[in-house]
Amino acid sequence: MKVVGQELPRVEILEKVTGQSVFGADVRLASPLLVGKILASPHAHARIKNIDTRKAERLPGVKAVVTARDFPPVRFGRFIQDEEYFARDKVRLVGDKVAAVAAVDEETAEEALRLIKVDYEVLPSVVDGLEAMRDDAPLIHEGYESYWAAGFIKERKGNICYHKQTLHGDIERAFREADRVFEHRFYAPMVHQTYIEPHTALARVDATGRATVWVPTQAQFFIRQSIADIFQWPLIRIRVIPTEIGGGFGGKMLPTVEPAAVALAQKSGMPVQIVMSRGEDFQTANPRHPCHMRYKTGVKLDGTIVAREIELVFGTGAFCGNGLVIGQRAEMLATGPYRIPNVKIDLYCVYTNHANCGPYRAPAGPQLAFGSEQQIDIIARDLNLDPLEVRLKNAIEEGDTTPAAGGPLKSVHVKETLRKAAEAADWGTTDAKTKNRGRGIALGYWLVGGLASSAGVKLNEDGTVSVLTGVVDLSGTVTSLGQIAAEVLGVELGDVHVRTADSDFAPHSTISAGSQALRSMGTVTKLAAEEVKRQITEVASDKLEAEPGDLVVEDKRVYVKGSKEKGLSLAQVAQLSLVHKRGPIVSVQSAAQFPNQPAFSVHVADVEVDPETGTVKVLRYVAAQDVGTAINPLSVRGQIQGSVMQGLGQALSEACVFKDGKMLNPTFLDYKIFSSLDAPRVEVALVEHEAEGGPFGAKGIGEPSIVPVPAAVANAVYDAVGARIFELPLSAEKILMALAGKNNGR
């Protein structure tokens, strides 16, 4: 291939590095913008007895004040309709939206918020999932049983918004017959996506009542639908224009400030822009779910896994949101990519008094791998077996099924990926171990699906190509789509322009999440480009007096096979099409949902632990990944390296800390993410085999590469100093406590 598989820079890179890209807060209109601000609850759980906005409304410079009274009395939610956009009778988290104002400047808007008086009756709160499940826990949704819910949701009880049990095989008999049984509890706290750009939106409502919203989002069509649900409007009344996005990682798909901006714009008659502060974003956006895990595993003495019982408790926050999506994904990932004949999984999604949690790069993956892969390491060491060999012995193979993910699974290259990582990291070398240095390995996987999508491709009159999509570019997707179209049509990447249009004009496109955007959009782009190629040969065949099947399209030309001199340029074909019986050359193609396909990543971490302070330094990091076909290896390696950096932060330093529901560390001063000063060199090894169902055989990249990171580091820490940490992050304090024998033996 001439374009696919080549290391090419991202097509929009110059705009970004020169500051020309327009992000959410950069949008300006010809008319003046009002500044919008949201009044948030200071309490994690309280009844609203009264809201008095009169003083704020009389403040000079204030153009609009809105509360729940300005919205239809409806609840919304994808699987459970449990959320009102503005709290009407009760707040359920610190930061719950109570009112919003629009004013001529920021100072006036802030003053207006201070003038709104809210009378609260404070109630007991709970922020931990296990505690929220107790019979005596404060009830967060008293009317939960009356809410509309999807048909598969059963057993509504207390704060448990979803419970599902999965059984496969005879779990009790398998444990009785196992040579050894291991049981451990693990915990992964809430962490935030920490994108550079906080949530923002600009809304304008015209004289006809039609709203236009400029927003940095990963899911423009989902945001449009959410606004329609909240206001009870038809979709044609809402236009969403996606801007450049300063990072998302799953955190920019649910509605946050967009409906408030629309309501204020409608009431004021002027465009309104809302930009969250960093503290507001930390407190109220959609972070990763905290998760309590219990893993009980039965094995034979040779390391064969015969049974696994797993209990998972996710604290989903004050509302369900995407909690069930994460829960269903967790169910599929829980056992790990292993052949286990007997499985029991109990999955709980529980209401808690904190931010509505949502997707974050490989939702549920790093949490579950932290528990599962640490226990695999514990088992291997206890049985005096090589941790690599235990994984190789139990790993799934082509055609296998798993209890929750189903199957038969195709394009399974987990064992090759394990061996590739081991080879790249010099696993099992006999060099004498350096004191306080250790090495850990972990295996992660992700199931790459794909959502219904469409895209358009047209041949321009000068022979260049335009691709029209609605997908938002987060990770080089636009460049890869351009490469796919260029490869099919025999042109260079520079001859292809990929345009992300807004919700009014773009064909319906998938969300930019789940590592499926390239699989979904790449497939339909390839289909559309192939149809354009067919049309090119149809138009050219008449002029060249040849059958379409005898024509070759490459090097910006179409010519008769075996006679390169007998041909036309693509520009000539495009111009001919305007007078040809078939008309201009253009195609819009669609695809339905794609079945899940596994993608694997294996990481090896080398660390050094200071036994006096407990601090961990990552010395070397190797990441091998099964990628199918790398459409752009440069972009693929960058995605993997970026994932590792995020994973290292979650492994060693990141956690949202709460007191009475209020986040205590909502700034980058106190919430420590990995920086360039902390980063080790990440060595990437790619396993490439053309995968079934992906464009040119590509698999998803961004999700699998973060899954094993916390577990690999935890296993390396144990190898270095014998400290087994069962709760993230692997802080210096926890390591010192473990070394002192105070880790409670979890």
Side-chain angles (χ1 to χ4, degrees):
M1 291 184 286
K2 296 183 178 180
V3 187
V4 165
Q6 303 306 308
E7 298 196 354
L8 300 173
R10 289 172 60 161
V11 294
E12 84 292 359
I13 194 66
L14 286 178
E15 291 180 11
K16 287 186 174 174
V17 300
T18 57
Q20 295 179 49
S21 297
V22 177
F23 293 87
D26 298 330
V27 179
R28 293 293 180 267
L29 305 178
S31 55
L33 305 182
L34 297 179
V35 175
K37 292 286 183 181
I38 293 175
L39 180 66
S41 165
H43 306 294
H45 199 196
R47 297 195 192 283
I48 299 175
K49 301 178 74 174
N50 185 54
I51 303 175
D52 187 349
T53 62
R54 289 173 295 179
K55 288 185 178 179
E57 291 167 339
R58 292 195 296 264
L59 182 67
V62 172
K63 301 299 182 181
V65 179
V66 295
T67 67
R69 295 189 297 268
D70 297 279
F71 285 73
V74 297
R75 296 182 182 275
F76 66 95
R78 182 175 176 187
F79 297 105
I80 302 174
Q81 291 181 350
D82 58 1
E83 185 171 1
E84 295 174 302
Y85 184 73
F86 278 110
R88 198 173 294 270
D89 303 308
K90 186 179 181 183
V91 293
R92 294 177 171 88
L93 71 147
V94 173
D96 211 349
K97 294 176 285 294
V98 176
V101 303
V104 294
D105 54 42
E106 188 167 3
E107 292 76 11
T108 305
E110 294 282 5
E111 178 62 22
L113 293 185
R114 288 190 286 269
L115 292 174
I116 297 174
K117 301 303 179 186
V118 185
D119 187 9
Y120 294 102
E121 177 191 342
V122 179
L123 302 171
S125 62
V126 58
V127 296
D128 180 81
L130 284 180
E131 292 181 8
M133 291 174 66
R134 292 171 47 177
D135 291 339
D136 61 349
L139 196 58
I140 297 172
H141 287 271
E142 293 94 336
Y144 175 51
E145 293 185 359
S146 68
Y147 299 164
W148 176 90
F152 64 85
I153 298 174
K154 312 294 183 184
E155 297 186 42
R156 303 194 195 192
K157 180 183 177 183
N159 289 320
I160 300 172
C161 65
Y162 179 66
H163 171 227
K164 184 180 179 184
Q165 186 177 87
T166 300
L167 291 170
H168 185 78
D170 189 336
I171 191 78
E172 298 302 330
R173 178 185 58 80
F175 277 127
R176 288 195 301 270
E177 295 177 357
D179 293 327
R180 295 286 304 278
V181 176
F182 296 81
E183 185 170 4
H184 302 90
R185 292 183 180 273
F186 303 89
Y187 178 66
M190 179 192 298
V191 292
H192 193 278
Q193 294 89 344
T194 61
Y195 29 71
I196 296 173
E197 174 195 36
H199 282 271
T200 180
L202 168 61
R204 179 178 62 194
V205 179
D206 65 22
T208 68
R210 193 165 191 270
T212 302
V213 183
W214 291 262
V215 57
T217 178
Q218 298 173 242
Q220 61 164 311
F221 295 101
F222 184 74
I223 290 295
R224 181 180 65 165
Q225 183 66 62
S226 298
I227 294 171
D229 291 343
I230 290 167
F231 286 93
Q232 297 290 284
W233 289 351
L235 290 175
I236 56 172
R237 194 173 164 183
I238 306 152
R239 179 185 181 190
V240 173
I241 302 178
T243 67
E244 288 285 359
I245 182 170
F249 311 110
K252 290 181 178 174
M253 293 193 291
L254 296 176
T256 52
V257 297
E258 300 90 350
V262 171
L264 290 167
Q266 183 182 37
K267 195 167 185 177
S268 68
M270 298 176 65
V272 176
Q273 188 171 54
I274 301 177
V275 181
M276 274 190 176
S277 69
R278 182 62 61 182
E280 289 170 334
D281 202 298
F282 264 119
Q283 180 72 54
T284 64
N286 313 119
R288 192 188 290 283
H289 284 73
C291 184
H292 290 276
M293 297 160 276
R294 180 178 65 85
Y295 273 85
K296 179 180 178 182
T297 304
V299 298
K300 296 295 186 181
L301 292 179
D302 67 353
T304 301
I305 302 172
V306 297
R308 210 158 206 195
E309 182 179 281
I310 304 163
E311 183 180 270
L312 306 172
V313 178
F314 288 92
T316 195
F319 309 102
C320 178
N322 273 341
L324 300 194
V325 177
I326 279 74
Q328 291 167 347
R329 178 64 60 168
E331 183 188 6
M332 291 189 283
L333 300 175
T335 58
Y338 299 112
R339 284 178 157 179
I340 307 176
N342 305 283
V343 171
K344 178 182 178 183
I345 304 171
D346 270 296
L347 169 70
Y348 296 91
C349 193
V350 184
Y351 286 124
T352 43
N353 291 118
H354 57 59
N356 182 12
C357 292
Y360 178 4
R361 199 173 206 157
Q367 302 102 302
L368 303 193
F370 176 69
S372 173
E373 289 296 297
Q374 274 212 91
Q375 192 178 66
I376 296 292
D377 202 66
I378 292 169
I379 291 168
R381 290 176 181 277
D382 196 88
L383 298 179
N384 199 30
L385 300 171
D386 185 338
L388 172 65
E389 293 304 320
V390 170
R391 289 171 171 85
L392 285 167
K393 176 183 286 290
N394 292 285
I396 59 175
E397 297 182 350
E398 188 80 10
D400 279 351
T401 63
T402 64
L409 298 174
K410 299 178 180 180
S411 302
V412 177
H413 302 289
V414 58
K415 292 186 177 181
E416 182 180 348
T417 309
L418 279 161
R419 294 189 179 102
K420 187 99 169 187
E423 178 185 2
D426 303 317
W427 181 267
T429 53
T430 57
D431 295 342
K433 182 174 176 292
T434 304
K435 187 177 181 181
N436 301 327
R437 290 190 176 186
R439 172 173 290 178
I441 189 170
L443 165 61
Y445 90 120
W446 185 252
L447 291 161
V448 180
L451 300 177
S453 298
S454 54
V457 175
K458 69 172 182 174
L459 181 67
N460 298 315
E461 293 82 349
D462 62 353
T464 59
V465 177
S466 294
V467 179
L468 184 66
T469 84
V471 73
V472 177
D473 188 10
L474 282 175
S475 54
T477 306
V478 163
T479 302
S480 296
L481 295 181
Q483 289 180 262
I484 289 169
E487 187 68 46
V488 172
L489 295 172
V491 299
E492 297 174 0
L493 179 59
D495 297 315
V496 180
H497 176 64
V498 181
R499 170 70 183 272
T500 297
D502 62 64
S503 62
D504 268 6
F505 301 104
H508 186 91
S509 300
T510 184
I511 59 176
S512 296
S515 289
Q516 54 76 51
L518 180 60
R519 188 182 187 200
S520 300
M521 295 305 302
T523 295
V524 293
T525 299
K526 185 169 183 283
L527 288 172
E530 287 170 342
E531 171 57 19
V532 165
K533 182 178 180 179
R534 189 197 67 76
Q535 294 176 23
I536 289 171
T537 60
E538 179 186 345
V539 172
S541 64
D542 290 344
K543 184 73 173 177
L544 298 175
E545 299 179 336
E547 292 296 320
D550 293 332
L551 299 180
V552 177
V553 180
E554 67 176 15
D555 296 329
K556 306 181 187 181
R557 297 179 69 245
V558 54
Y559 59 86
V560 178
K561 192 182 302 181
S563 302
K564 279 193 173 185
E565 71 285 352
K566 188 178 180 182
L568 300 166
S569 70
L570 291 185
Q572 289 173 315
V573 175
Q575 291 160 17
L576 279 172
S577 73
L578 300 180
V579 294
H580 190 270
K581 60 186 177 182
R582 71 144 293 103
I585 294 176
V586 63
S587 173
V588 177
Q589 296 291 318
S590 299
Q593 291 189 339
F594 295 75
N596 284 319
Q597 184 182 74
F600 306 95
S601 56
V602 180
H603 293 189
V604 179
D606 288 359
V607 306
E608 183 175 48
V609 182
D610 186 335
E612 299 297 322
T613 65
T615 56
V616 178
K617 182 178 182 181
V618 182
L619 304 173
R620 184 188 182 198
Y621 205 96
V622 172
Q625 188 157 322
D626 159 41
V627 300
T629 299
I631 300 294
N632 187 332
L634 181 67
S635 179
V636 168
R637 286 199 302 273
Q639 279 289 292
I640 294 171
Q641 291 165 336
S643 288
V644 170
M645 289 304 110
Q646 281 188 309
L648 289 174
Q650 293 172 44
L652 293 169
S653 60
E654 293 184 39
C656 298
V657 181
F658 291 92
K659 182 179 180 181
D660 298 327
K662 183 176 177 61
M663 188 172 172
L664 300 180
N665 57 331
T667 70
F668 285 133
L669 179 64
D670 298 309
Y671 186 97
K672 176 66 174 74
I673 63 174
F674 251 50
S675 72
S676 58
L677 298 177
D678 307 301
R681 179 170 177 263
V682 178
E683 303 167 35
V684 176
L686 302 182
V687 174
E688 291 195 71
H689 295 282
E690 188 171 318
E692 184 175 305
F696 291 104
K699 286 187 178 183
I701 304 300
E703 252 75 12
S705 45
I706 196 174
V707 172
V709 183
V713 176
N715 290 336
V717 167
Y718 180 84
D719 189 53
V721 292
R724 181 66 68 181
I725 312 299
F726 297 88
E727 179 178 325
L728 288 172
L730 309 173
S731 64
E733 180 183 20
K734 290 174 189 167
I735 291 172
L736 290 177
M737 290 180 68
L739 290 173
K742 297 178 181 179
N743 62 347
N744 301 320
R746 293 174 64 126

